[in-house]
Amino acid sequence: MNGFLGTYSVNMDEKGRLNVPSKFKAILEKSYDSNLVVAVMDNFLIAFPQKEWQINEEKLSSLSGLEREDRQKMREFYSRASECELKSGKILVPQFQREIAGLNKEVVLVGMSKSFEIWAGDRWNKL
Amino acid sequence: MNGFLGTYSVNMDEKGRLNVPSKFKAILEKSYDSNLVVAVMDNFLIAFPQKEWQINEEKLSSLSGLEREDRQKMREFYSRASECELKSGKILVPQFQREIAGLNKEVVLVGMSKSFEIWAGDRWNKL
DNA sequence: AGCATAGTGTCTTAATGTGTCATAAAGTGT
DNA sequence: ACACTTTATGACACATTAAGACACTATGCT
């Protein structure tokens, strides 16, 4: 089976939840589980299935924990990540990440094979 | 057996589904399965059998999901693709791809050996 | 404890996607 | 040219999905 593909426009509710498109849900159910990790990248978010996140984590662990720049990189990555379980078909994006990514109502989900990105509608349209 | 050959004119229904010509269906049944991936190329679409798509995907797999430029490349590729299963002899082309390719009722399918192209009738006729 | 805020489950409606069938059109063999 | 077979079209009914509303729960704070 393929990974996450395509671009979906969804609406976030007032509490910051967004409906995961059924195609993405099917992939999660089939190849993964309901645990996602959402990380910040520049001005958008990346949602990793738990399993894929772990692969990244291993890549990062090759960096030394004793070098200043490495620690800096790791800090950026870990400090702004969060665990987001898929519940009732939706995920709740935490407040602080919504702010960083500038998420309002209109949100765009972009398939990236092993992960998918979460963009504010206006930022995506300006690309 | 040969790959996809020839040019077929078909009508899309109001929901965005189009009938795959029986010659193409026969090839899918024989050499592939019902899973297709449709990608955007400029102002038309390309439909790959799953197996052929994977060859493309493998070329990208060396890219890191954590580097900005790599993500950029991946995004172009994945964000505009979609999985389109052949169901009841038809495929449903998602809204966003229909818009990009300017598909209305009259659609032209063009065999390209290992894949086939999907054109809006008017764009095809202007070539 | 009581309040405010953030998070969660459930339901309704509207929109989108899917399966099936009848008819029309095209293609095939004699 | 004819009857027969296969394929495409369009219509319709049905199923699924997304959006939003709302009520309930959990959490943290004073």
Side-chain angles (χ1 to χ4, degrees):
Chain A
M1 180 186 261
N2 290 307
F4 304 102
L5 292 178
T7 304
Y8 296 87
S9 178
V10 298
N11 291 340
M12 214 169 58
D13 69 17
E14 338 80 74
K15 306 294 189 67
R17 282 189 298 180
L18 46 87
N19 226 320
V20 176
S22 62
K23 295 257 182 184
F24 285 8
K25 258 186 267 186
I27 295 166
L28 289 170
E29 274 165 27
K30 187 142 195 200
S31 310
Y32 302 107
D33 60 23
S34 61
N35 286 107
L36 295 168
V37 176
V38 177
V40 174
M41 168 74 66
D42 300 324
N43 61 347
F44 61 92
L45 308 175
I46 309 176
F48 298 89
Q50 163 73 30
K51 206 164 74 185
E52 301 295 340
W53 172 260
Q54 268 171 4
I55 293 167
N56 288 334
E57 213 165 4
E58 277 156 28
K59 282 184 195 154
L60 282 178
S61 70
S62 64
L63 299 175
S64 163
L66 295 174
E67 296 298 327
R68 239 174 265 291
E69 292 126 58
D70 286 356
R71 281 202 87 80
Q72 176 60 29
K73 229 186 216 156
M74 291 165 73
R75 192 177 300 122
E76 271 175 29
F77 203 62
Y78 288 123
S79 69
R80 304 193 297 173
S82 77
E83 224 171 87
C84 293
E85 202 184 344
L86 186 73
K87 283 171 183 161
S88 312
K90 302 173 184 188
I91 54 173
L92 176 71
V93 179
Q95 177 70 29
F96 81 93
Q97 290 184 332
R98 274 182 266 156
E99 280 167 19
I100 296 171
L103 302 187
N104 294 303
K105 189 174 173 195
E106 197 207 340
V107 168
V108 175
L109 302 185
V110 186
M112 289 284 281
S113 187
K114 309 247 182 255
S115 62
F116 60 90
E117 298 182 349
I118 303 172
W119 287 82
D122 47 357
R123 290 186 187 175
W124 174 255
N125 292 327
K126 274 188 206 132
L127 280 188
Chain B
M1 179 182 266
N2 289 312
F4 304 102
L5 293 177
T7 304
Y8 296 86
S9 176
V10 298
N11 290 341
M12 213 170 59
D13 69 17
E14 338 80 75
K15 307 291 188 70
R17 284 190 297 180
L18 48 87
N19 225 320
V20 176
S22 62
K23 296 256 181 181
F24 286 7
K25 258 186 268 186
I27 295 166
L28 289 170
E29 273 165 28
K30 186 142 196 199
S31 309
Y32 302 107
D33 60 23
S34 62
N35 285 107
L36 294 169
V37 176
V38 177
V40 174
M41 169 70 67
D42 300 323
N43 61 346
F44 62 92
L45 308 176
I46 309 178
F48 298 90
Q50 161 72 30
K51 208 164 72 183
E52 302 295 340
W53 169 260
Q54 264 173 2
I55 295 167
N56 292 334
E57 202 165 4
E58 276 155 27
K59 289 180 192 154
L60 280 182
S61 64
S62 62
L63 298 177
S64 160
L66 296 175
E67 296 300 326
R68 279 167 188 69
E69 298 111 64
D70 286 355
R71 276 200 94 80
Q72 175 61 31
K73 254 184 216 145
M74 292 166 70
R75 193 176 299 124
E76 278 170 25
F77 194 68
Y78 289 121
S79 69
R80 304 195 299 171
S82 76
E83 215 172 274
C84 294
E85 203 183 345
L86 188 73
K87 283 171 183 161
S88 313
K90 303 173 184 188
I91 55 172
L92 176 72
V93 179
Q95 175 73 26
F96 81 94
Q97 291 185 330
R98 275 182 266 155
E99 280 168 18
I100 296 172
L103 302 187
N104 294 302
K105 191 173 174 196
E106 197 206 341
V107 168
V108 176
L109 303 184
V110 185
M112 289 286 280
S113 184
K114 306 241 183 262
S115 62
F116 60 90
E117 298 181 351
I118 303 172
W119 286 82
D122 47 357
R123 290 186 186 175
W124 175 254
N125 292 327
K126 274 188 205 132
L127 282 186

